[in-house]
Structures are given as C-alpha cells and as structure tokens.
Amino acid sequence: MAKVPFLSDAWLDLHRSLGAALPERSGARARVQHVVSGSPQGEVRYVHTVVDGRTAGLAFSADDEADVTFTNTYADAQALARGELDPSVLFMQGRTKMAGDMGKVLALMPVIRSGEHRELLETLSEQTDY
C-alpha cells in the first residue's frame, strides 16, 4: 500500500476516516485549528472538528472562529502525528502555542489520552510518508 504524504489531502482523508471511527465520548467537542509553520509548503492551516470524541470534519482552511488554535513547527507537527510527543508536554515547554478556550482542550483530553487515539496515531503514522 502506498503511503500518503504528510499534510496532503490524502493524509487529511485518512485521518478523518480513522477519527470518525473512534468511540463516542459525550461532551468531547471542539473546532480545533492547527497551524504548522516551516513546512515545505510554507505555513499550513487545517481545522479538525470533533463531536462527541469523533472526527466530524477535517479540512485545510483558516478559521478565525475556531474554539482553539494550536501552532507548531513542522518537525513538532510530524512528531505529534507519529505519536512521539505528548501535546501537553510541548505546551508546558512553550513549543506549542495555544490560543482559545482551554475548557475545550480539557474536554478533548480523554480522547487524546485514550488507547484508541494512540492506535489511530500508530495506524496514521504507518500509512504516512513523512
């Protein structure tokens, strides 16, 4: 099976499909904008919509109305996608910039820390060309 390029339309499609199959977690909902700086394409923005713990949408776009925005370097975004880095550690180290509603982030933590999400990252990583 051919791997999909990181931060490509095919990567978003794969991520969306895997995220839609996560177990339902009532109340875990947010529209999260990701800003990746320093990628080969320049700055990349995509919005990840989570409803009850599942991916309901994932698309390249900018969203000034997102509940929260995370900004990472390209290298850190790759490591996060591979599951090699904990997002909260990057935040505490000042490597991830966050703007928006911290309550929404906290509501997503049970999803992000779940075994199912770790499996999602593993599967995504196995099928991604970094």
Side-chain angles (χ1 to χ4, degrees), residues 29-93:
R29 54 179 55 228
R31 204 166 64 246
V32 181
Q33 177 173 225
H34 296 271
V35 179
V36 179
S37 63
S39 85
Q41 302 91 350
E43 183 179 272
V44 175
R45 292 176 179 254
Y46 64 96
V47 177
H48 188 169
T49 303
V50 178
V51 176
D52 291 331
R54 295 180 176 145
T55 298
L58 195 57
F60 289 113
S61 67
D63 186 350
D64 292 337
E65 300 300 316
D67 296 312
V68 64
T69 297
F70 290 104
T71 302
N72 285 291
T73 65
Y74 184 66
D76 283 346
Q78 287 178 310
L80 285 165
R82 289 190 296 259
E84 297 171 352
L85 292 175
D86 183 321
S88 59
V89 171
L90 286 180
F91 179 73
M92 297 299 278
Q93 292 175 345

